[in-house]
Amino acid sequence: MMDDAGAPPPRPARATAAPIATAATTAVPPPIAAERLDWPVAGLAAWLIVGFYVDLWAHAHGQVDDTFLTPWHALLYSGAASFGIVLGAVAVLNIRRGVAPSRALSSAYRISFIGSITFLIAGLADLLWHSMFGFEVDIESLLSPPHLALAASGIMMFSGPIRSVWSRSVWSRGISSRPARAIRLGWRHHGPALIGLAAVLAVCGAFTQYLHPIVDPWAAALTGQDARPVPSQLFAMAADGSGQRRISASDADDDQPILSPDGSTLAFVRVVGGRTQVFASDPDSGHARQLTTQGNNGRPAWSPDGRRLGYVSSVGGEPDIYSMSPDGTVVRRLTTDPAADFGFTWSPNGAALAFISDRTGTYEIWRANADGSGARQLSHDGGRKFSLDWSPDGSSITYAWVTDGDVEIWAMAADGSSTHRLASSVGDDYGPRWSPDGRQIAFNSSRLGDIEIFVMAADGSGQRNLSRSPGTDDGGTQSSWSRDGLEILYSSRAVTPYWRVDFVREALGAAGILIQAALLAGFVLVALRRGPLPFGAVTLSSSRRLR
């Protein structure tokens, strides 16, 4: 067909293709999906749980008593920081790719990122807690508020892969001839969630280990008179009661710690084979060496010049006072009377010693020269006296006195005159120890139901509780001051009398079995809620739990 001019009509214009993208218009990469984070975060969970158990081992073996900055804490907190670094980097990359900040991380890993932040905050709180109250020991390390906050934060991080995996469907589409059913997926899909579950279970198990039948067989342990009580351990605290820290870690009973005048050697008493023996150790390394081997030995006391270590020994039958060189050699017997001589203290100048003796039929205070000669009786008022200490200025001697069933603290002049009472309460007050400046006297008291270390002014006024630990008996039979007066050394023992009450151990044993069985059963039920698991999943997670 021709137009009027004889030319064919123009053809309709073809649709032109969209311009090909150039380097300037390259498409933005898609955001990082949550499933791509599952295995990397599961690896970080393994790092953090290893750091946690290494730190738990360090607490149990006295490796964190002196400082917060330890390699164990470095391993633990670097694992927590890795969560924040990795997830924070993913969030930044997603925001750069056009994702809204509120959606930069999936809800599964948003909680893990928050957990890493709260973990570091709880770590700072733990540092402050240690600075104020000292380092936790035994069950206290599992129940302190900062440690519980750290555990909760860790669970927030560990559970990220669990939430991520379970947010994706594992069900096949149903058709008319076959209903929808769960797809059996393997380790590639379930692995990160199972590792996260195992980590959560490991934390729960660690924080309930005091009720675990493998860690402490409460139900099978001996009860009654055959049971073994929790051993006492040595501690130190500042003169105001703060900064309580353990200075020994052993399976035996340790008591009566006392530092040498130059602070280089710690003498104390340890139970070995059912007998008490005098030990000495380096306060820094904790390496202990036994100084006595025969009979029962105790009440170590350094001479003012530090050249001799006095002690009471029953090696000759009745207790007598001995002294030895700091290395346990050159032993000298200072008292030889057939009566019992014990509970002694050196005079401040080292020229004399005071001690308790029943040479006249009652336990009275005696005084003798440093070599044991020239003994003479100072007190004559009957009753039972024990636990002496000489004031730094040499003017008076303090002691515990049992009268009419009450144990009180008294003082007398160094010549035995002008006695007066310093402390009396509804409980027993004993073990007076003068501070090096002579202004204060530390002593033990059971006035609150348990044994605590108190301090009072030299005249008996201003009595106040220093140790403030109702769950333990503090002070043992003898505490002591450091030479500079900045610290008090003492022993501490848990007061729960489970070794004397059979039904308590039986009840705790049954409770421990039920609690751990509930934890493990809960893990299995939670793991199965998303359908069948790959072979070996429960075995692997349970073995991680028992470690």
Side-chain angles (χ1 to χ4, degrees), residues 400-418:
W401 189 12
V402 183
T403 56
D404 298 327
D406 296 324
V407 183
E408 302 172 337
I409 296 177
W410 286 66
M412 63 162 51
D415 60 1
S417 62
S418 63

Side-chain angles (χ1 to χ4, degrees), residues 226-466:
D226 296 326
R228 179 178 181 270
V230 175
S232 61
Q233 300 288 280
L234 302 184
F235 284 74
M237 64 179 171
D240 61 358
S242 64
Q244 298 179 15
R245 58 187 178 89
R246 185 172 57 175
I247 57 177
S248 76
S250 81
D251 294 329
D253 283 299
D254 293 343
D255 194 10
Q256 303 171 22
I258 184 168
L259 276 173
S260 60
D262 62 2
S264 64
T265 306
L266 174 69
F268 62 95
V269 170
R270 173 173 290 174
V271 177
V272 179
R275 294 180 178 270
T276 57
Q277 303 296 342
V278 178
F279 279 70
S281 71
D282 182 340
D284 296 325
S285 68
H287 176 70
R289 58 188 185 278
Q290 188 171 343
L291 301 183
T292 61
T293 57
Q294 303 297 320
N296 283 296
N297 305 273
R299 301 287 179 174
W302 293 95
S303 62
D305 60 8
R307 296 180 179 178
R308 304 291 294 175
L309 178 62
Y311 62 101
V312 176
S313 178
S314 64
V315 67
E318 289 291 333
D320 275 300
I321 300 170
Y322 291 73
S323 73
M324 59 182 165
S325 299
D327 60 359
T329 61
V330 194
V331 176
R332 298 171 184 163
R333 184 173 180 176
L334 303 182
T335 61
T336 57
D337 193 274
D341 299 330
F342 59 95
F344 86 105
T345 179
W346 299 92
S347 65
N349 60 7
L353 54 88
F355 59 96
I356 306 294
S357 180
D358 64 348
R359 300 179 184 191
T360 58
T362 59
Y363 292 98
E364 301 290 354
I365 300 173
W366 289 65
R367 175 173 177 167
N369 297 323
D371 61 359
S373 63
R376 67 182 191 278
Q377 188 173 346
L378 296 182
S379 68
H380 303 80
D381 41 16
R384 179 183 177 89
K385 301 174 182 67
F386 64 100
S387 193
L388 304 180
D389 197 33
W390 215 309
S391 65
D393 63 4
S395 64
S396 63
I397 297 172
T398 54
Y399 56 96
W401 189 12
V402 183
T403 56
D404 298 327
D406 296 324
V407 183
E408 302 172 337
I409 296 177
W410 286 66
M412 63 162 51
D415 60 1
S417 62
S418 63
T419 62
H420 60 283
R421 182 167 52 196
L422 292 177
S424 178
S425 67
V426 294
D428 294 335
D429 299 328
Y430 61 96
R433 288 294 176 268
W434 286 89
S435 63
D437 61 8
R439 296 180 179 180
Q440 299 184 95
I441 300 174
F443 64 98
N444 297 350
S445 179
S446 63
R447 64 185 67 183
L448 300 179
D450 64 312
I451 301 174
E452 301 280 2
I453 297 179
F454 281 69
V455 71
M456 60 182 169
D459 60 0
S461 63
Q463 299 179 18
R464 64 185 189 279
N465 185 356
L466 287 186

Side-chain angles (χ1 to χ4, degrees), residues 131-146:
S131 300
M132 296 173 60
F133 305 108
F135 286 83
E136 303 89 344
V137 179
D138 298 327
I139 193 173
E140 294 95 333
S141 63
L142 303 177
L143 299 179
S144 72

Side-chain angles (χ1 to χ4, degrees), residues 184-191 194 527-528 531-539:
R184 182 179 291 275
L185 299 175
W187 278 99
R188 183 176 180 181
H189 179 273
H190 283 297
L194 292 173
L528 289 173
L533 296 175
F535 178 77
V538 176
T539 302

Side-chain angles (χ1 to χ4, degrees), residues 458-542:
D459 60 0
S461 63
Q463 299 179 18
R464 64 185 189 279
N465 185 356
L466 287 186
S467 51
R468 304 185 306 277
S469 180
T472 58
D473 279 340
D474 301 311
T477 57
Q478 174 178 304
S479 60
S480 65
W481 294 78
S482 61
R483 179 61 63 177
D484 56 13
L486 298 179
E487 286 192 316
I488 296 176
L489 284 66
Y490 62 100
S491 67
S492 181
R493 180 199 301 273
V495 297
T496 305
Y498 62 81
W499 59 88
R500 281 175 270 170
V501 185
D502 293 357
F503 79 88
V504 173
R505 289 202 66 93
E506 294 166 358
L508 286 173
I513 294 172
L514 291 174
I515 288 174
Q516 301 306 320
L519 278 175
L520 191 57
F523 157 77
V524 174
L525 293 175
V526 170
L528 289 173
R529 69 182 291 270
R530 295 294 293 174
L533 296 175
F535 178 77
V538 176
T539 302
L540 172 66
S541 299
S542 298

Side-chain angles (χ1 to χ4, degrees), residues 37 41 82-92 105 109 112-113 116:
L37 296 175
V41 173
S82 67
F83 270 86
I85 293 172
V86 170
L87 295 178
V90 170
V92 170
L105 286 174
Y109 288 114
S112 294
F113 181 69
S116 67

